Amino acid sequence: MEETFCLLPLLSEYEQNNNNCYSSHIDIVMEDRLSQLPDEILVSILSQLTLREAVRASSLSSRWRYLWMHVTRLNFDVISKVRDKALNPDFCEKEGLRHINWINHVVDLHRSHTLEEFSVRLLFEGNFKCEIDKWLKFASSKKVESLELFLLIGYWVESDRYSIPIELLNHGSSDASLFGFGALKSLTLDGIDVCNQVAKIFLSNCPLLEQLSIRNSRLLKHLEIGPSLKLKHLEIYLCKIDYLEICNANLISFGFKGTEETNLCLENVSSVVNLQIEVYRGSLPILIDLIATKFSEVEKLSFEVSSDQLRALDFRHSFPKFNNLKWLILSVVDCTLLEVTPLLQASPYLQMFEIKDLWWNYSTAT
């Protein structure tokens, strides 16, 4: 938490004391070699640092004082610092407001015309919606290439989630040419109520989009992925989706976590080599048959199964062969190696097998 909370005082410290810092530094150092580098190289170096590191590194060079404001990657990860207190409503509201001010301060000072990456991982409160709108407008104006918005939802705001306003995407107009996220290559939305129309707008207007991840959306009910997209990586996790169609798409990786109530319409998806899948309470033989028939070229397979699903199998059950499978990861609760024997027998060329016990939270690899 210290790194996150100290950024605002750190910024003001540089505004107040920087002149003294630089004058003393220059008196001691005979030659400031870093200042001889072109701005674009200095900015490139700073872009590899965290915001805290970039600001502090400014003391290394007289020309770095404001260059951190031109970095092309902005990452605000609040959740990893305070996850252990995320279920405390008072804490979330207090610290959330503090981090809102921090993000707004950095956004207001930012001077680069473009952004390679903009990532916000935040404890969500219902009164933060206008601020999130502001950040999305900011990212849009910077022609952002990679956008991640992860909102950790507390039980007290479950019914008041954030959803992206459709008018924000087209700047209040129905004209698709005004869409501000056309440069996107990667989009991750977690804990946001993404509706069908918003998902369609992104897919229809992001010709460079290669990675799409939508998690924990209550409003996404219908999604179609077709052949015209450049999409290579797709994740749909814990969304109450009724219909998901993937047809003739050139996906490399696909992740799905849901229930058997979702109608998965999959046609010509053999390009997928990395598959992560869980169908809650679904029939394991049906799921395995689906994987074997639709994802015949899969090389890395990761899926969660319950002990009930495994124990419902006949030990002599024979699965279709996974002749290309090299890496199998099973996430289970309270099962034995004997119970996964049919899966191992179906994978004659397996090179790595990993079993994760979700109950005890450990994993072993062989």
Side-chain angles (χ1 to χ4, degrees):
M1 286 190 291
E2 180 184 354
E3 289 189 4
T4 301
F5 297 161
C6 287
L7 184 56
L8 274 176
L10 189 62
L11 293 175
S12 60
E13 174 188 334
Y14 270 85
E15 291 297 323
Q16 295 170 6
N17 303 324
N18 221 30
N19 289 332
N20 293 335
C21 176
Y22 283 126
S23 61
S24 60
H25 181 73
I26 294 173
D27 289 340
I28 296 173
V29 181
M30 295 180 60
E31 184 178 6
D32 184 359
R33 296 181 183 275
L34 287 173
S35 290
Q36 299 174 12
L37 296 173
D39 283 355
E40 58 267 22
I41 294 180
L42 293 177
V43 171
S44 177
I45 294 172
L46 289 171
S47 293
Q48 306 305 314
L49 308 177
T50 66
L51 281 173
R52 181 184 178 86
E53 292 168 343
V55 174
R56 285 195 162 177
S58 298
S59 62
L60 297 175
S61 168
S62 58
R63 286 176 53 232
W64 283 38
R65 181 176 182 182
Y66 296 109
L67 282 180
W68 71 266
M69 300 178 188
H70 296 267
V71 296
T72 57
R73 292 186 176 91
L74 295 178
N75 295 278
F76 306 94
D77 186 1
V78 178
I79 293 175
S80 64
K81 307 293 183 183
V82 298
R83 185 179 287 274
D84 58 330
K85 297 182 180 180
L87 295 179
N88 185 322
D90 293 334
F91 174 85
C92 288
E93 183 173 8
K94 178 182 177 181
E95 295 304 327
L97 288 172
R98 190 172 184 176
H99 291 104
I100 290 285
N101 292 332
W102 162 42
I103 297 172
N104 282 339
H105 190 64
V106 174
V107 165
D108 290 341
L109 290 174
H110 191 261
R111 295 294 177 265
S112 175
H113 296 296
T114 59
L115 272 178
E116 293 180 53
E117 180 181 359
F118 184 70
S119 174
V120 176
R121 300 166 62 85
L122 183 71
L123 300 169
F124 176 70
E125 290 289 329
N127 57 348
F128 295 170
K129 293 180 180 179
C130 290
E131 305 302 327
I132 298 171
D133 286 349
K134 173 184 174 181
W135 301 336
L136 287 178
K137 291 177 182 177
F138 164 79
S140 170
S141 70
K142 302 290 184 177
K143 299 179 177 59
V144 65
E145 295 181 7
S146 176
L147 175 63
E148 178 188 23
L149 187 56
F150 176 20
L151 304 180
L152 187 60
I153 308 296
Y155 65 87
W156 59 94
V157 290
E158 178 65 31
S159 61
D160 190 27
R161 292 192 183 192
Y162 176 76
S163 57
I164 300 175
I166 294 175
E167 58 272 16
L168 182 149
L169 299 179
N170 293 335
H171 300 283
S173 170
S174 59
D175 186 353
S177 65
L178 298 178
F179 181 74
F181 293 94
L184 271 182
K185 297 179 181 178
S186 175
L187 175 63
T188 300
L189 301 173
D190 193 335
I192 298 168
D193 275 343
V194 180
C195 68
N196 299 342
Q197 188 173 356
V198 165
K200 185 176 181 179
I201 289 174
F202 275 112
L203 288 171
S204 301
N205 295 280
C206 297
L208 304 178
L209 191 65
E210 296 184 358
Q211 185 270 334
L212 173 64
S213 177
I214 302 177
R215 296 171 174 246
N216 296 289
S217 170
R218 302 173 304 175
L219 299 184
L220 186 65
K221 301 296 183 182
H222 187 108
L223 185 65
E224 297 181 13
I225 307 295
S228 61
L229 298 175
K230 196 176 181 179
L231 202 63
K232 300 297 183 184
H233 311 279
L234 175 66
E235 288 184 342
I236 305 295
Y237 281 3
L238 300 176
C239 299
K240 297 182 179 180
I241 186 167
D242 297 324
Y243 181 83
L244 174 59
E245 177 182 307
I246 306 175
C247 182
N248 297 317
N250 295 314
L251 293 177
I252 296 174
S253 69
F254 173 53
F256 175 80
K257 182 180 289 189
T259 70
E260 57 185 347
E261 295 177 1
T262 300
N263 181 6
L264 291 175
C265 182
L266 307 171
E267 295 295 335
N268 194 15
V269 290
S270 60
S271 59
V272 173
V273 295
N274 186 352
L275 177 64
Q276 295 178 292
I277 192 165
E278 177 192 358
V279 178
Y280 181 65
R281 293 189 180 277
S283 166
L284 188 55
I286 293 177
L287 175 59
I288 296 297
D289 287 341
L290 173 71
I291 296 171
T293 56
K294 300 296 185 179
F295 302 98
S296 57
E297 302 299 317
V298 66
E299 297 179 4
K300 181 179 180 180
L301 173 60
S302 174
F303 66 105
E304 294 184 20
V305 293
S306 68
S307 55
D308 290 339
Q309 286 175 310
L310 286 169
R311 288 165 186 163
L313 288 177
D314 186 329
F315 178 72
R316 294 162 295 182
H317 184 89
S318 178
F319 286 121
K321 296 295 184 183
F322 296 101
N323 290 321
N324 293 299
L325 189 61
K326 297 180 176 63
W327 188 353
L328 175 62
I329 303 172
L330 284 180
S331 299
V332 298
V333 177
D334 187 27
C335 84
T336 66
L337 285 175
L338 184 62
E339 290 168 321
V340 301
T341 298
L343 289 174
L344 298 179
Q345 291 174 334
S347 310
Y349 302 104
L350 198 63
Q351 297 176 5
M352 180 175 289
F353 172 58
E354 184 174 351
I355 183 167
K356 297 182 177 181
D357 192 319
L358 299 178
W359 183 265
W360 293 105
N361 193 29
Y362 73 87
S363 67
T364 58
T366 58

